[in-house]
Amino acid sequence: MLYNEAGQFSISYAGERRLFRLRQDRCALALLLAFAFVVVPFVGNDYWFSAILIPFLVLSLAGLGLNLLTGYAGQLSLGSAAFMAVGAFAAYNFGLRLPGLPLLASLFLGGVTAALVAVVFGLPSLRIKGFYLIVSTLAAQFFVSWALTKFGWFSNDNASGVISAPPLTIFGADFSSPVGRYLLTLGVVAALFWLGKNLVRSELGRNWMAVRDMDTAAAVIGIPLLKTKLLAFALSGFFLGIAGSLWAFTYLGTVEPHGFDLNRSFQVLFIIILGGLGSILGNFLGAAFMVLFPLLLSNLAGALPVGLIDPGQLENLQKFIFGALIIAFLIKEPEGLARLWQRCRERARLWPLRY
Amino acid sequence: MEFFFEVLIGGLLAGVMYSLVAIGFVLIYKASGVFNFAQGAMVLFAALTFVSLHERGMPFWLAFAVTLAAMVAIALLVERLVLRPLVNRSPITLFMATLGLSYMIEGAAQALWGAQVHGLELGISDEPLALGGVLLSQFDLFAAGTAAVLVTALSLLFSKTRIGLSLRAVADDPLAALAVGIRLQRIWAVVWAVAGFVGLVAGLLWGARLGVQFSLSLVVLKALPVLIIGGFSSIGGAIVGGLIIGASEKLAEIYLGPVIGGGLENWFPYVLALLFLLVRPAGLFGERAIERV
């Protein structure tokens, strides 16, 4: 009876519609947040912050961005990295061209810019469906990276097209140490996840799911397709754009347009396939997998006797295993890692009974 | 004006090379509705296997036969391990599975044969041929000829043989085809094997031009706008689309490039395909889907 929901009655509409209806969920979330905000900064070391936790948080945010579009609204996209790049370069330019603009405001404006660009490339989605839409997102991918490399203005005429992070200060507090960057990322990601979780259970979120399941039927019951699809592109672009600027500012500290190439788009897509399409929690699980799996594999290869796995082969091996895992997941667990958690929860509800 | 024609014809011939990759794509889409992202990886795998065997002293035709056997083996494995368990899933799931498949094939190809660049010599002279004042590459003409032969052979296969007939039946309605006793699994295996063969031919031609290396698997990205313009289910469309893309991207690079900055070959085909789609959402020869609720 670890997960007993008996006796937890909602006696008001507000109680019924709160984000986490069960007391266990609320407690677990509060504990987790307290742990992430208070305990981790004291126990973690710099390697953990810079090489594992920050990319994990940023990638889960990027996953959330794509999940809104692909997992909830059903529009397949191979251009997520382009919107990340737009976000990063726009945030950089807002910070640069408008001196005195607070960091969070330039992040926000970067996200808004990415949202606008995403809407432009999402416009064809009304007329084009399914696979044909891939070409629109690919056009975004290649056009954005071309434009950012071609026009020096975007990178402030840096010879190699590289932008570097602005000073990470918010209200006078400096966030440029590894712990500070971790806390900044965590704060932004937590806020956006709260927004995302609320979005998908709003009317808009339900419209997205209707469009995903069958857009003709959705149009028939009066859901405005144009608005719903474009909002999916806009919000996905917004989340991806902020993820992109966090990637540039708090994770790498510097970025070039090629840091956001097609492979990054695939990486984000794999996060949501492995984590679970149409699941908020899945983004965290998929991103954790994405960050930890290469580390695990290289450690495993290091632990084996020397010469058994050639270090040069490691990357090929990793690619192969990744591909195999994607296929295995699609066959065995199409709802991704998030489904495993759901199963655990269902087991815990009945524990110690089996049925 | 002569310069214009030279660019145009050069572009048209380059477009034929895109069509070769796109044809493998169309075959699989036509027979199973699977949007096969792994076609580029198959091209890479075929070219890499062939060239590595050839370099180890195997004669040309033997190496060709062995590579073809390997492609058929891959086709059988894909049918058995990927397509069969995923039958009846949504097209997007199948697409993502082929994305995983392309990672697997790329990883396997490079793990087996290494990542270095191999040269490939097919014994076709690359001396330009002067035709009425316009210079043409012999190699491109050869590639165009190969594509023509391939398309003719495939159309004959589709229209004249029993397997072609069942293939069209499966494409039209898999469930109905199953009901009249067509073996879906066998059709899939055959189609993937033929696509592997087309991939091998494309891999040899592309490899002879660019060298056999990882970037071969990226030709799939160039084949996408070709497919979009031609329609996913028409082999003729793949050829026409290839010609349009090849010609327009070269012309754009030459005439538009100086105006808005070079390097627009990378994205121009996509934007062109996009504009095209806005006018004709199913491509030139694609079938228009009728939706009912």
Side-chain angles (χ1 to χ4, degrees), chain B residues 10-93:
Chain B
L12 289 176
L13 290 172
V16 173
M17 303 277 283
Y18 299 144
S19 309
L20 275 175
V21 182
I23 289 173
F25 228 92
V26 169
L27 277 173
I28 290 178
Y29 190 81
K30 220 172 147 76
S32 50
V34 176
F35 186 92
N36 177 26
F37 199 82
Q39 186 68 25
M42 280 162 69
V43 169
L44 170 75
F45 187 88
L48 210 55
T49 309
F50 174 84
V51 92
S52 305
L53 291 174
H54 197 45
E55 272 174 8
R56 282 169 178 68
M58 225 182 239
F60 185 91
W61 288 111
L62 187 60
F64 192 87
V66 172
T67 312
L68 193 56
M71 297 313 288
V72 172
I74 289 184
L76 295 175
L77 281 176
V78 166
E79 189 276 314
R80 188 74 239 200
L81 300 176
V82 182
L83 295 177
R84 205 178 288 190
L86 283 175
V87 69
N88 247 340
R89 289 281 185 76
S90 73
I92 285 188
T93 309

Side-chain angles (χ1 to χ4, degrees), chain A residues 16 51 58 86 111 130 143 150 155 191 233 251 279 281:
Chain A
E16 171 88 12
V58 178
V86 170
F143 182 77
K150 196 75 209 168
S155 52
F233 273 95
Y251 173 42
S279 147
L281 173 76

Side-chain angles (χ1 to χ4, degrees), chain A residues 76 127-129 131-132 136 138-139 142-143 146 214 216 262 266 269 273 313 316 319-320 323-324 330-331, chain B residues 81 89 91 95-97 99-100 104 106 110-111 214 221 224 232 262-263 267 270 274 277-279 282 291-292:
Chain A
L76 195 53
R127 204 149 151 66
I128 311 169
K129 278 171 195 163
F131 294 124
Y132 288 97
S136 169
L138 274 177
F142 290 111
F143 182 77
W146 174 81
M214 190 171 186
T216 318
L262 192 61
F266 282 150
L269 182 62
I273 299 177
Q313 288 284 27
N316 296 329
K319 243 183 155 172
F320 185 83
L330 288 171
I331 293 172
Chain B
L81 300 176
R89 289 281 185 76
F95 163 74
M96 292 193 284
L99 208 61
M104 280 182 82
E106 277 169 16
Q110 296 199 26
F214 180 73
L221 296 175
L224 271 175
F232 281 145
W267 55 265
Y270 297 97
L274 201 56
L277 276 184
L278 290 177
V279 184
E291 292 187 49
R292 293 192 190 89

Side-chain angles (χ1 to χ4, degrees), chain B residues 106-148:
Chain B
E106 277 169 16
Q110 296 199 26
L112 272 176
W113 305 115
Q116 68 270 44
V117 181
H118 301 262
L120 177 61
E121 194 54 64
L122 293 178
I124 305 151
S125 88
D126 212 12
E127 262 174 50
L129 210 63
L131 259 181
V134 177
L135 289 177
L136 294 178
S137 146
Q138 275 191 26
F139 184 84
D140 285 342
L141 288 176
F142 176 77
T146 314

